[in-house]
């Protein structure tokens, strides 16, 4: 009982038609559903922001989505308003199987964004996921979901740093790719010892 599937942010706002749509984002749903039975535990995460969140460009007059600003904890990309608590955009994609052991919400502190499922963007505030996985003896993690180059990669890098054996299955991930962020994320994950399952060659 050691292997957990961590499903990152498969929410309507990250799927086609959503506020921060990841290209082809909904293509991850069926492969993720098909993988679930192979794991001892399934954890789903939800990006979960209050309206007016500090990661929204709309909270920073004079700034547009995808601008980068300095926050007390470092550089922060500004996003369109997305995944607002209890809205349809924050709900899981309706075809995602949500039978799971834990649903972890992140990004609810107004002043800090949280890409990683382990630490908020200040790299200090913990979400509680590490404690949960440790308590359950879940030491081998497979990460899938959205977006490869933000929440999936930040989660994988934190997990590797925390000592988990980490696999990212790219067949069940899709990326945003801002200014080369996808290749940079893949390079960082490889350097950190994350096992990458390649996308099917088509
Ligand atoms: C994400 C940008 C902002 C993600 C979340 O899930 O990758 N990206 N919030
Ligand atoms: Zn977000």
């Amino acid at each position: 009982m050691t292997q957990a599937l961590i499903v990152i942010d498969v929410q309507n706002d990250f799927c086609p038609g959503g506020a921060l749509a990841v290209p082809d984002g909904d293509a991850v749903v069926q492969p993720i559903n098909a993988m679930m039975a192979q794991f001892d535990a399934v954890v789903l995460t939800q990006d979960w922001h209050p309206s007016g969140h500090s990661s929204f460009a709309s909270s920073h007059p004079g700034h547009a989505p995808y601008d980068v600003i300095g926050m007390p904890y470092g550089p922060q990309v500004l996003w369109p308003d997305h995944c607002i608590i209890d809205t349809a955009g924050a709900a899981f994609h309706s075809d995602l199987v949500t039978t799971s052991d834990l649903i972890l919400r992140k990004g609810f502190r107004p002043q800090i964004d949280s890409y990683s499922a382990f630490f908020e963007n200040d790299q200090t505030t913990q979400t509680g996921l590490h404690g949960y996985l440790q308590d359950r003896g879940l030491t081998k993690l497979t990460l899938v979901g959205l977006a490869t180059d933000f929440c999936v990669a930040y989660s994988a890098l934190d997990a590797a740093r925390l000592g988990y054996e980490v696999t990212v299955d790219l067949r069940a991930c899709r990326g945003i790719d801002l200014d080369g962020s996808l290749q940079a994320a893949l390079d960082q994950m490889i350097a950190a010892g994350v096992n990458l399952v390649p996308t099917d060659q088509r």
Side-chain angles (χ1 to χ4, degrees):
M1 295 291 282
T2 61
Q3 303 211 38
L5 181 66
I6 314 288
V7 180
I8 304 290
D9 299 0
V10 182
Q11 294 166 264
N12 290 323
D13 271 341
F14 297 123
C15 291
L20 178 39
V22 178
D24 206 24
D26 54 347
V28 305
V29 173
Q30 296 309 329
I32 290 171
N33 289 345
M35 294 170 79
M36 287 179 173
Q38 300 160 28
F39 291 86
D40 302 308
V42 175
V43 174
L44 309 178
T45 72
Q46 260 177 322
D47 208 40
W48 200 248
H49 299 307
S51 57
H53 191 256
S54 58
S55 75
F56 297 168
S58 62
S59 302
H60 302 272
H63 284 283
Y66 312 106
D67 285 356
V68 179
I69 64 162
M71 294 284 233
Y73 53 79
Q76 170 71 48
V77 180
L78 296 178
W79 304 104
D81 291 19
H82 65 279
C83 294
I84 295 174
I85 293 172
D86 282 337
T87 61
F92 291 116
H93 186 287
S94 58
D95 293 332
L96 183 74
V97 173
T98 55
T99 308
S100 58
D101 296 66
L102 174 72
I103 295 175
L104 181 106
R105 289 163 170 170
K106 61 181 179 64
F108 49 76
R109 288 185 178 79
Q111 301 304 328
I112 317 182
D113 204 2
S114 188
Y115 294 149
S116 166
F118 292 94
F119 290 93
E120 304 203 3
N121 287 10
D122 62 4
Q123 295 182 313
T124 304
T125 306
Q126 296 218 42
T127 63
L129 182 58
H130 182 43
Y132 176 86
L133 296 171
Q134 276 188 312
D135 287 351
R136 289 200 49 193
L138 296 159
T139 56
K140 297 178 183 171
L141 309 182
T142 296
L143 280 72
V144 292
L146 305 171
T148 316
D149 40 348
F150 288 92
C151 292
V152 175
Y154 277 73
S155 299
L157 293 168
D158 281 345
R161 188 161 52 83
L162 290 167
Y164 294 91
E165 186 180 320
V166 187
T167 299
V168 171
D169 191 331
L170 294 170
R171 298 170 301 182
C173 297
R174 293 293 184 280
I176 296 175
D177 204 12
L178 288 181
D179 294 327
S181 59
L182 188 52
Q183 191 58 50
L186 296 174
D187 291 345
Q188 285 181 324
M189 288 192 282
I190 290 167
V194 173
N195 306 301
L196 297 181
V197 179
T199 48
D200 300 315
Q201 302 300 320
R202 288 187 211 99

